[in-house]
Amino acid sequence: NILRNLIYNEEYARCVFPFLKKDYFDGSSSIVFNLYGDFFNKYNKLPTCEALSIELSNSKTSETLYEEANNVINAFKSSSVADDLEWLCDNTERYCQDKALFIAMQKALAIMQEKNTDGLAKTAIPDILQEALAVSFDSSVGHDYFEDAEARYDKLTAKTHKIPFDIEVFNRMTKGGVEPKTLNVILAGTNVGKSLGLCHFAASDLAAGRNVLYITMEMAEEKIGQRIDANLLNITLDDIETTPKALFMEKVARQKAKTTGRLEIKEYPTSSAHVGHFRHLLRELAQKKKFKPDVIYIDYITICASSRITLAKAGGTYLYYKVIAEEIRGLAVEFGVPIWSALQTNRTGYSDSDPDMDDVADSFGLAHTVDLMFSLVTNEQLDQLGQFQVKQLKNRYADKSKMRRFMVGVDRAKQRLYDIRQEV
């Protein structure tokens, strides 16, 4: 019995209590667990049966429930407890997993029958079930600064800790590339180069032997593929359509032979897909194609949907798009990969030669969630030179003040970015 061991086994209680919920207990047991939790949180020690009885008598409980709860407490007074901590914790974890899944299935059924009082849509069901299936007693209690120093150093200096760029100036900006479990964003105006930047980075990842998942909600799958064709196959966008099929396929085969990476492109209707759909896609790709991405591209954040709330319920774009960004970054953490996306500048930023984070269209809250954000700036003169000005807006990898602005070359016809000599 979980409650019995919570009262008499302090080591067990401190291991499992943080993961227990009132919903995991029924009827009078739920009342006793609430009393136990209130006492434990207030005094930081285990309550005795006598203390629980006193707390029960002071609570506002109906006579019937009072008698039932009191009988539960009295039954503990003459009961023995198990002393195998590992066995106790394992069985408690399995119990919580089963209860969480049962509760989730009940909630899903209520949504299907339109009896849900929280106003959740049917699209929330996959996330509800996923959350239940993820219930687990996390054995990690944190990172000890001194004791874990060696492991921290090894992890931070390992080459696998970074996913480098093929453009040296971006590697300098990020101290070697982006990291897993991060959200990285390109900010630009309409038709400036958001998708160009994402497609270039995706193509370079593929060429470097990484598995790439590109999710598009702005352009068709074939259009994204065409941009990556231009980049990898050294063909201009205009020339692709006139290239003989045999030559085109020969170039594709030659490129395939050069890399061990794979690229999967998935299109969703604008503003219809959220992280629940992306999570399902990742599992489908793993099961049906044995494909696990090393990096994910989502084109782009503000034409995604939220899996938790609607725009109307959020009361405005600030909270709504901030939630979407948090969900996408959570997906990056869950699957242990970096995610790239893009944002569009607002009207002020569109005409601004020096955009900042407050020029993010729809929600400034988005900027608080991302790990790396830089803007691509262009004008008539830079277009003639074939260049973008890059301005760092947020950088958790390095000190952004050391490289606040720099230039990169751009070949729009072949959807490429490249290093250029920086003016000192």
Side-chain angles (χ1 to χ4, degrees):
N1 186 291
I2 293 175
L3 290 174
R4 182 184 299 117
N5 284 282
L6 284 175
I7 294 172
Y8 292 106
N9 189 331
E10 182 167 1
E11 189 175 4
Y12 166 78
R14 294 193 181 278
C15 283
V16 306
F17 178 72
F19 304 101
L20 299 176
K21 297 180 180 180
K22 175 186 175 183
D23 295 342
Y24 296 165
F25 301 90
D26 302 317
S28 54
S29 293
S30 177
I31 294 174
V32 175
F33 177 75
N34 265 2
L35 296 172
Y36 178 96
D38 291 343
F39 187 98
F40 188 88
N41 289 328
K42 184 175 182 179
Y43 299 105
N44 193 29
K45 63 180 181 179
L46 308 189
T48 63
C49 290
E50 290 72 19
L52 288 175
S53 295
I54 294 172
E55 293 294 330
L56 177 62
S57 64
N58 292 332
S59 65
K60 297 179 180 179
T61 308
S62 67
E63 186 175 343
T64 302
L65 286 176
Y66 173 85
E67 290 297 330
E68 292 177 358
N70 198 47
N71 290 337
V72 170
I73 295 171
N74 288 331
F76 297 153
K77 294 179 179 179
S78 58
S79 300
S80 60
V81 294
D83 57 3
D84 189 330
L85 180 63
E86 184 178 359
W87 180 87
L88 275 173
C89 291
D90 286 347
N91 278 274
T92 303
E93 183 177 26
R94 281 194 288 272
Y95 169 82
C96 291
Q97 289 168 341
D98 291 343
K99 289 294 291 186
L101 183 57
F102 177 75
I103 293 167
M105 292 177 70
Q106 284 185 315
K107 185 177 289 188
L109 182 61
I111 292 173
M112 292 297 295
Q113 296 175 341
E114 299 183 349
K115 296 179 180 179
N116 174 57
T117 57
D118 296 330
L120 296 174
K122 293 178 182 178
T123 54
I125 291 177
D127 285 341
I128 293 171
L129 295 175
Q130 175 61 30
E131 184 178 351
L133 291 169
V135 168
S136 148
F137 289 5
D138 186 358
S139 59
S140 171
V141 291
H143 177 91
D144 188 298
Y145 178 77
F146 292 109
E147 297 300 322
D148 296 329
E150 183 177 354
R152 179 172 68 252
Y153 178 84
D154 290 342
K155 184 174 182 180
L156 292 174
T157 56
K159 291 183 179 179
T160 55
H161 187 62
K162 293 276 192 175
I163 295 183
F165 296 90
D166 65 334
I167 300 175
E168 185 53 36
V169 68
F170 281 114
N171 285 325
R172 294 204 304 272
M173 177 183 75
T174 56
K175 290 188 175 180
V178 298
E179 300 174 7
K181 303 182 181 181
T182 58
L183 176 57
N184 309 278
V185 169
I186 299 172
L187 174 68
T190 304
N191 293 326
V192 170
K194 298 186 298 298
S195 295
L196 185 155
L198 293 179
C199 285
H200 172 86
F201 293 145
S204 68
D205 282 330
L206 177 61
R210 302 183 191 99
N211 287 343
V212 179
L213 173 61
Y214 197 112
I215 296 172
T216 174
M217 283 165 285
E218 185 178 36
M219 288 186 284
E221 296 171 356
E222 295 78 12
K223 287 293 184 182
I224 297 298
Q226 181 187 30
R227 288 173 174 235
I228 293 175
D229 286 335
N231 184 293
L232 288 179
L233 306 184
N234 198 31
I235 310 174
T236 67
L237 288 173
D238 291 338
D239 288 343
I240 288 176
E241 296 178 5
T242 58
T243 299
K245 183 176 181 180
L247 177 59
F248 177 83
M249 295 307 298
E250 180 184 338
K251 286 178 174 287
V252 171
R254 195 179 302 131
Q255 186 62 44
K256 183 178 180 181
K258 292 180 181 179
T259 181
T260 57
R262 295 166 59 190
L263 169 64
E264 295 287 340
I265 306 171
K266 174 62 178 176
E267 177 187 358
Y268 290 99
T270 301
S271 300
S272 68
H274 53 64
V275 292
H277 298 95
F278 307 154
R279 188 179 290 115
H280 176 73
L281 172 63
L282 286 162
R283 294 201 175 90
E284 289 282 290
L285 287 170
Q287 292 172 3
K288 296 178 179 179
K289 292 190 172 184
K290 307 300 180 185
F291 176 86
K292 181 181 178 182
D294 299 304
V295 58
I296 299 173
Y297 292 82
I298 299 176
D299 194 357
Y300 53 91
I301 288 180
T302 51
I303 50 177
C304 292
S306 168
S307 65
R308 289 185 284 170
I309 60 173
T310 63
L311 179 57
K313 202 168 185 179
T317 58
Y318 178 91
L319 176 60
Y320 185 65
Y321 291 119
K322 185 175 186 293
V323 167
I324 293 174
E326 290 170 349
E327 292 173 351
I328 291 175
R329 192 176 187 281
L331 189 73
V333 173
E334 180 181 346
F335 286 89
V337 298
I339 291 182
W340 278 95
S341 192
L343 292 170
Q344 188 163 296
T345 55
N346 55 28
R347 291 182 179 180
T348 303
Y350 180 75
S351 58
D352 193 353
S353 61
D354 189 29
D356 214 328
M357 284 200 294
D358 55 4
D359 290 316
V360 176
D362 300 309
S363 175
F364 181 65
L366 284 163
H368 296 302
T369 307
V370 304
D371 296 278
L372 173 69
M373 180 188 291
F374 59 84
S375 64
L376 297 179
V377 181
T378 190
N379 54 40
E380 188 174 341
Q381 182 182 2
L382 288 175
D383 275 342
Q384 291 175 353
L385 293 172
Q387 295 179 3
F388 279 140
Q389 182 190 80
V390 179
K391 179 185 177 182
Q392 289 194 65
L393 302 177
K394 184 174 183 180
N395 190 344
R396 287 177 174 165
Y397 306 120
D399 182 358
K400 73 175 186 179
S401 65
K402 293 182 178 180
M403 289 184 64
R404 192 173 293 276
R405 293 179 182 83
F406 54 88
M407 309 301 292
V408 294
V410 55
D411 183 344
R412 292 184 180 274
K414 294 183 179 179
Q415 296 291 286
R416 288 178 181 168
L417 302 175
Y418 57 89
D419 276 308
I420 59 173
R421 183 175 179 178
Q422 303 294 311
E423 295 295 333
V424 179

